[in-house]
Amino acid sequence: MQVLSNSVKLARVLGTRMILLNSNNQFLSSLTQFSTSPLSSLQFQLRTKSSSGRHRAAIATADVCDSNAALLVNGDLRALDPIFKIYGQGLAFSGPIVTVKVFEDNVLVRQLLETEGNGRVLVIDGGGSTRCALVGGNLAQWAHDMAWAGIIVNGCIRDVDEINACDIGVRALGSNPLKSNKKAVGEKHVPVQIAGTLIHDGEWLYADSDGILISKTQLSV
Ligand SMILES: O=C([O-])CC(=O)C(=O)O
Ligand SMILES: [Mg+2]
């Protein structure tokens, strides 16, 4: 970790990105390098600003795995199968999980994203259906504005360009321009089985460019 000033530290370089932390190791912003010359705070362009309450992963999933081998063995820490594509500006995020189980219907998803996120991550089990989109640009913007840390979709999204411009972390199986049903069928806060892993409401999720981890408890490295 590199100290840039009394109050700002450079926490981690993710390809051409880095994360700035304050003196309490809390997320300040992520920055994108616009020069190929060696690292300098002046060579990074301010890219995003966090909303209060949103957690961003300042710890890498690989480091979490290396530091918590026993939890991997006993199943309290699990890695999702690598079936998700990365969308949105939030390349790394973490937070307590809220689950919702739906099938080709996104009314419950909208209901949840219109409530305060407080840095939580919405895990949507769409049954793996790729026949329509459960999240689009409007819902992603709601999620951002309501301070959700990220959205995992076991299903599809749409409005990909809008979502990629939004400061929110989104993972999904792919995209489909078709909208979903609006019948409000589904269940909130139930256990869901996604990407080979059983996930419970209230567990913790850590996502970055390497993958997605589910943990029974909040972790550090
Ligand atoms: O309306 C929907 O079903 C999803 C959508 O396009 C959006 O959130 O913008
Ligand atoms: Mg839309």
Side-chain angles (χ1 to χ4, degrees), residues 7-206:
S7 56
V8 180
K9 298 178 204 167
L10 168 61
R12 182 168 173 81
V13 176
L14 295 166
T16 58
R17 293 199 179 196
M18 67 180 191
I19 293 172
L20 292 185
L21 304 179
N22 67 15
S23 51
N24 294 322
N25 290 333
Q26 291 167 327
F27 175 84
L28 286 175
S29 66
S30 79
L31 305 170
T32 299
Q33 193 175 14
F34 58 84
S35 162
T36 53
S37 52
L39 292 180
S40 146
S41 59
L42 296 176
Q43 291 170 326
F44 286 79
Q45 177 187 13
L46 185 62
R47 186 68 180 253
T48 61
K49 199 168 187 300
S50 75
S51 303
S52 64
R54 186 173 312 155
H55 299 249
R56 286 299 180 85
I59 50 176
T61 56
D63 294 340
V64 171
C65 290
D66 291 354
S67 306
N68 294 284
L71 298 181
L72 287 166
V73 170
N74 74 13
D76 285 352
L77 179 63
R78 292 94 67 196
L80 296 192
D81 291 341
I83 59 173
F84 295 99
K85 294 182 180 158
I86 295 176
Y87 302 95
Q89 294 277 317
L91 291 185
F93 57 92
S94 65
I97 293 168
V98 174
T99 60
V100 60
K101 189 175 170 67
V102 296
F103 190 72
E104 299 179 359
D105 185 318
N106 72 349
V107 172
L108 272 59
V109 173
R110 175 180 290 271
Q111 286 173 2
L112 285 164
L113 292 178
E114 286 176 352
T115 65
E116 289 287 345
N118 293 319
R120 294 175 298 169
V121 177
L122 185 62
V123 173
I124 305 167
D125 183 7
S129 171
T130 53
R131 298 194 304 187
C132 63
L134 295 173
V135 173
N138 290 332
L139 290 188
Q141 191 60 48
W142 266 111
H144 169 268
D145 294 349
M146 298 305 281
W148 288 83
I151 309 170
I152 310 293
V153 189
N154 186 27
C156 278
I157 61 166
R158 66 177 185 175
D159 309 327
V160 167
D161 294 341
E162 287 174 43
I163 290 177
N164 282 341
C166 189
D167 182 17
I168 183 90
V170 176
R171 304 287 190 274
L173 300 179
S175 63
N176 190 320
L178 289 175
K179 71 177 176 186
S180 69
N181 296 323
K182 312 292 174 197
K183 294 178 183 165
V185 176
E187 293 172 284
K188 297 172 186 167
H189 309 298
V190 292
V192 293
Q193 178 83 27
I194 292 180
T197 302
L198 184 63
I199 304 172
H200 291 90
D201 196 85
E203 291 192 295
W204 276 73
L205 184 143
Y206 297 84

